[in-house]
Amino acid sequence: MEVLGRLLALLAVLLVGTALRTTGVLDAGRTAKLNALAYYVALPALIFVSTYDQAIAELLSPALIGGLLFVVFLTAGIAWLIHRNRSSSARSSVAIVQSYHSNLGYLGLPLVAATFDARVTAIASVVLGVVTLTQVPLTIIVLSTFNGTDVAIGDKLLGLAKNPVFVSLIAGLSVGTIGVSIPPAIGSGLNVVGSLALPLALLCVGAALQIEASTLDVGAVSSVVALKIACMPLLAWLVFSALEVGTATFTAAIVMLGTPTAVSTYVFAAELGGDRKFASLNVFVTTVASIGTLFVLITLVG
């Protein structure tokens, strides 16, 4: 019941964000500032405090990397088979990428940190890094190929390498591997800042969600939901069970890959010719539906 209560509280904060946008409290400017606070301050702090006392060899393993890549590409392949012939290339491309592109930073890692111990959270930070480095380039390639848009992939990848998520992950793993001691006061302060990542992120996600009846395609939306929050974690369960990884690795991988579609897919769709309204709808539906599926996953692995 504690897990269910926590997830319902997350849903409440998400809906508060939507309500604040609807009433004009969280306008575009305020939402951008809140998003910057979450992305450039709170989330990097959470990643650093999760990894600075862990050696990289204790967190990163061939089984973890191989399993994550296999699940991401297998889910993407299934999504391509199902969605490749939608009514338009703009809709097909969005349906494909939103079936595998997970909300690891704004929901996955903060949720793991609030629910599990430090070991699981540290591995979840590594999962965030590995999967993001995979799914972002894949999403850019899928959208640009389907929609015939020109994109400088090299510039996108360079920007990805410079983002605060990877900088804080590399910094934390480096400190942990070298064995540098972090003063308790600094560690405590970063913990407080990191604890703000989840509520701030949920408010931002809620403020970004929009629904228009004209975009409702029950078949396409249902397929995206089924692939993202049911098929993908199920594949992860089967793959990591076969790999016989440790309990902490198994837990982190399953919960992180069971998260809903990332809000960033809406941004990518807007930039690369995808169906933006359809993308927004899928983000909303997968996020709300994932409250139930994440409860089941956390209960099973908890």
Side-chain angles (χ1 to χ4, degrees), residues 102-231:
S102 304
N103 192 343
L104 303 175
Y106 269 15
L107 182 58
L109 181 60
L111 176 61
V112 169
T115 309
F116 299 100
D117 61 24
R119 172 73 175 174
V120 177
T121 304
I123 296 174
S125 297
V126 175
V127 172
L128 168 62
V130 173
V131 175
T132 302
L133 279 173
T134 305
Q135 66 184 13
V136 170
L138 182 59
T139 291
I140 293 171
I141 291 171
V142 171
L143 287 170
S144 59
T145 301
F146 266 76
N147 301 310
T149 51
D150 293 327
V151 58
I153 296 180
D155 292 341
K156 293 284 186 181
L157 293 179
L158 182 59
L160 182 62
K162 293 180 178 178
N163 80 39
V165 169
F166 291 105
V167 172
S168 57
L169 178 60
I170 292 172
L173 291 175
S174 299
V175 169
T177 301
I178 297 171
V180 177
S181 178
I182 299 296
I186 295 178
S188 298
L190 289 173
N191 261 316
V192 172
V193 176
S195 67
L196 299 175
L198 185 55
L200 287 175
L202 287 170
L203 286 174
C204 292
V205 171
L209 299 179
Q210 299 184 39
I211 304 177
E212 294 189 23
S214 61
T215 66
L216 187 58
D217 182 338
V218 176
V221 172
S222 299
S223 296
V224 171
V225 172
L227 283 169
K228 184 67 213 66
I229 63 174
C231 179

Side-chain angles (χ1 to χ4, degrees), residues 6-76:
R6 183 178 290 118
L7 288 170
L8 290 176
L10 301 186
L11 177 60
V13 176
L14 182 76
L15 296 177
V16 166
T18 303
L20 291 175
R21 174 187 58 79
T22 303
T23 57
V25 175
L26 274 182
D27 56 18
R30 294 191 183 102
T31 301
K33 292 178 182 178
L34 200 64
N35 184 73
L37 181 62
Y39 187 68
Y40 290 99
V41 180
L43 184 57
L46 174 59
I47 293 172
F48 183 80
V49 298
S50 300
T51 55
Y52 77 85
D53 57 352
Q54 306 274 351
I56 189 171
E58 298 175 357
L59 302 177
L60 197 60
S61 67
L64 176 60
I65 296 174
L68 292 172
L69 295 180
F70 184 81
V71 173
V72 170
F73 283 107
L74 180 57
T75 306

Side-chain angles (χ1 to χ4, degrees), residues 68-92:
L68 292 172
L69 295 180
F70 184 81
V71 173
V72 170
F73 283 107
L74 180 57
T75 306
I78 296 172
W80 178 80
L81 289 173
I82 293 174
H83 297 302
R84 68 188 188 280
N85 293 320
R86 291 291 173 194
S87 57
S88 66
S89 60
R91 179 154 295 191
S92 292

Side-chain angles (χ1 to χ4, degrees), residues 4 7-8 11 14-15 107 209 221-222 224-230 233 258-261 281-297:
L4 180 59
L7 288 170
L8 290 176
L11 177 60
L14 182 76
L15 296 177
L107 182 58
L209 299 179
V221 172
S222 299
V224 171
V225 172
L227 283 169
K228 184 67 213 66
I229 63 174
T259 53
T261 300
L281 178 63
N282 286 333
V283 171
F284 178 84
V285 176
T286 58
T287 301
V288 174
S290 70
I291 299 299
T293 56
L294 284 170
F295 169 70
V296 173
L297 287 176

Side-chain angles (χ1 to χ4, degrees), residues 260-273:
T261 300
V263 179
S264 60
T265 57
Y266 170 81
V267 179
F268 284 123
E271 291 180 350
L272 301 173

